[in-house]
Amino acid sequence: MIDDLSPATRRRFLMTAAALAGGVGLGLPARPERAAATPAAMKDAIRKVVGEAPVQKGKVKLELPPLVENGNAVPLTVSVDSPMTAADHVKAIHIFNEKNPQPNVVSIRLGPRAGRATVATRIRLADSQTVVAIAQMSDDSFWSDEVDVVVTLAACLEGV
């Protein structure tokens, strides 16, 4: 009787914790699922950035390889045709995609002291999809470019 009222031992704690962890794991999927973002989610994310302003084609050059073997590290370069002066410069560059878990990839703020409006990075891509780059200029106009990318080995699997 005294043993039942004694403080919890480490062994009892570990056994209880393992039982709880096992019970929680029963609701998890057995295999990873692909990200569930959609082209509509990307359009909504773009609309949150640009509002009702029109987005024009041109001035922006988005460079991605058209065929990617591994979606875990895809090189991306965005350059914007701008003199980068106090009167005429790029305020921000936004990158969006349509099939990753989050449609907003990155937003980069720039100013006239940046010298040139070019950024390069690597991103993860969940599947073959369209990637869009939008530049916001100092006059609050928006310019864009988009690239379709085919991915043979997907990244961004949920539940991994």
Side-chain angles (χ1 to χ4, degrees):
M1 197 86 159
I2 293 176
D3 288 332
D4 290 339
L5 299 176
S6 65
T9 63
R10 180 176 176 195
R11 179 175 289 161
R12 181 171 292 169
F13 171 77
L14 291 174
M15 288 176 17
T16 304
L20 288 173
V24 170
L26 293 176
L28 295 177
R31 62 187 189 112
E33 297 176 13
R34 290 196 180 263
T38 63
M42 181 179 75
K43 287 180 182 175
D44 289 343
I46 291 172
R47 194 56 49 206
K48 285 179 184 176
V49 170
V50 303
E52 295 301 318
V55 179
Q56 305 169 60
K57 298 279 185 190
K59 289 194 180 184
V60 177
K61 183 175 182 184
L62 174 60
E63 297 178 59
L64 282 150
L67 178 64
V68 176
E69 187 174 320
N70 185 342
N72 283 308
V74 181
L76 171 142
T77 301
V78 180
S79 54
V80 183
D81 182 21
S82 171
M84 295 303 284
T85 63
D88 184 8
H89 62 274
V90 177
K91 288 172 59 175
I93 296 173
H94 307 277
I95 310 294
F96 301 93
N97 61 50
E98 61 185 4
K99 293 186 181 175
N100 282 12
Q102 299 293 322
N104 302 53
V105 176
V106 67
S107 291
I108 301 155
R109 304 283 178 207
L110 300 172
R113 296 176 72 191
R116 59 183 180 169
T118 300
V119 295
T121 188
R122 292 183 181 272
I123 63 171
R124 295 180 77 181
L125 293 177
D127 201 357
S128 298
Q129 60 186 293
T130 300
V131 178
V132 177
I134 296 179
Q136 180 181 7
M137 307 303 283
S138 57
D139 64 357
D140 285 329
S141 64
F142 292 92
W143 297 83
S144 72
D145 190 17
E146 63 182 47
V147 174
D148 292 320
V149 181
V150 176
V151 178
T152 57
L153 178 62
C156 302
L157 297 175
E158 299 251 327
V160 175

